[in-house]
Amino acid sequence: MKQIVTGLLLTFLTTAAFAQQGQETYYGFRLGLTAHPTFGWAKPEGGKGNGFSLGFSYGLLADLNFAENYSLATGLTITTINGKTSEINPSPFYNAAVYPGNTLYDLKYKMQYLEVPLTLKLKTDKIGDVRWYGQFGLSNGFNIGARQDVSVAGKSIVSDESIKKNTNFYRAGLIVGAGLEYDVAKHTSVTTGLTLNNGFTDISSASGRNVRNHYIGLNIGVFF
C-alpha cells in the first residue's frame, strides 16, 4: 500500500513540475476547494423512498489535465447523504411482540462518507472566460458515520441511533455531471454545476435488507 501511495504521489509531483514549464494554462495538476449542498434520497428493496433530504459536502478538488480539453478529476470530500424510507419489518428494529405481522416503519438515514471520485472531465474551448464541461466516472465512498431515526405510525422508536455495525463500509456510485468553469484571474477559476451520484451498492449490512442511496450535488468550488 505504501508503494502504491508513494508512486501516485511521485506521478502527481512529476506531472505538476512539467506543467509549470509548459505554455498552456490548462495543463498540469490543479487543486481546489469545494463546499456545497447535496439533495439525497434512499431506495429500499422492501419498501419505498420518501423524497429528498438535505445534506452537505466539503473538501478538496483535483484536476489532472492531460490535454487542453481533457482531465482526470478526483478529490477528497466529506459528504453527507440523507434520505427517508418506509420499510416493512426492517432488521434490527422490527419487534414482533409489539408489532405483529407486517408493519411499516419510517426510517431516516443520516450517512456520512469520505469520498474519492475518479472521473473523466471533458471541457470545451474557452468562450470568453468560460469553459463548459461534462463529467463521468466512479464514486468511491468510505463510511465514517451512520445514524438513524425510526418511527412507527408517528411514534418514535429510536432517535439519532448509531447504525455503523449494520452499515457497509464501502459505497460505490456512478457519477454523471455537467457545469462550467469561470476564470476570475490568471490561475484562479470558479466552478459550478450539477452532479448525479447514483449509488449501486447496498449500504445496509443488516440481515434481509437491501438499501441504496443517491444524491444530486449542487457543485460550487474554486480552483487555484
Side-chain angles (χ1 to χ4, degrees):
M1 188 66 177
K2 283 185 177 180
Q3 293 175 338
I4 295 173
V5 173
T6 302
L8 288 172
L9 184 59
L10 288 173
T11 300
F12 284 146
L13 291 175
T14 303
T15 305
F18 277 114
Q20 290 177 358
Q21 299 173 10
Q23 299 297 317
E24 297 288 347
T25 303
Y26 283 89
Y27 281 63
F29 186 59
R30 295 198 304 161
L31 281 175
L33 298 173
T34 184
H36 60 83
T38 65
F39 303 91
W41 70 98
K43 295 179 67 176
E45 197 171 76
K48 64 176 184 177
N50 286 330
F52 293 94
S53 295
L54 186 64
F56 201 70
S57 180
Y58 62 93
L60 292 173
L61 300 173
D63 273 11
L64 179 60
N65 300 287
F66 57 87
E68 186 174 358
N69 292 53
Y70 310 107
S71 305
L72 292 175
T74 183
L76 185 67
T77 60
I78 304 296
T79 300
T80 302
I81 310 175
N82 297 327
K84 298 177 182 179
T85 66
S86 294
E87 302 176 40
I88 298 173
N89 301 347
S91 173
F93 304 108
Y94 174 56
N95 188 332
V98 179
Y99 300 103
N102 289 335
T103 304
L104 199 63
Y105 286 67
D106 294 318
L107 300 93
K108 181 175 182 180
Y109 293 84
K110 294 176 273 187
M111 315 295 290
Q112 193 171 58
Y113 296 91
L114 179 66
E115 276 200 315
V116 183
L118 296 172
T119 66
L120 180 64
K121 185 185 285 186
L122 310 179
K123 305 176 185 179
T124 67
D125 291 331
K126 287 183 68 173
I127 304 171
D129 292 324
V130 173
R131 281 187 171 219
W132 296 89
Y133 69 84
Q135 195 169 2
F136 181 84
L138 177 68
S139 169
N140 300 280
F142 306 94
N143 186 263
I144 57 174
R147 310 193 77 82
Q148 195 158 58
D149 299 336
V150 183
S151 62
V152 175
K155 179 182 177 182
S156 177
I157 305 299
V158 298
S159 178
D160 204 36
E161 180 171 304
S162 174
I163 56 168
K164 283 207 72 170
K165 64 180 180 181
N166 295 311
T167 300
N168 287 320
F169 176 65
Y170 177 70
R171 172 191 180 274
L174 178 69
I175 295 175
V176 180
L180 62 86
E181 294 179 8
Y182 178 78
D183 290 343
V184 294
K186 183 177 180 181
H187 299 295
T188 306
S189 60
V190 175
T191 180
T192 185
L194 288 175
T195 295
L196 169 64
N197 189 306
N198 188 48
F200 54 79
T201 55
D202 184 10
I203 65 171
S204 176
S205 62
S207 177
R209 295 177 64 194
N210 190 311
V211 183
R212 299 176 184 180
N213 59 359
H214 322 277
Y215 73 86
I216 294 173
L218 178 58
N219 303 328
I220 301 169
V222 180
F223 279 107
F224 301 97

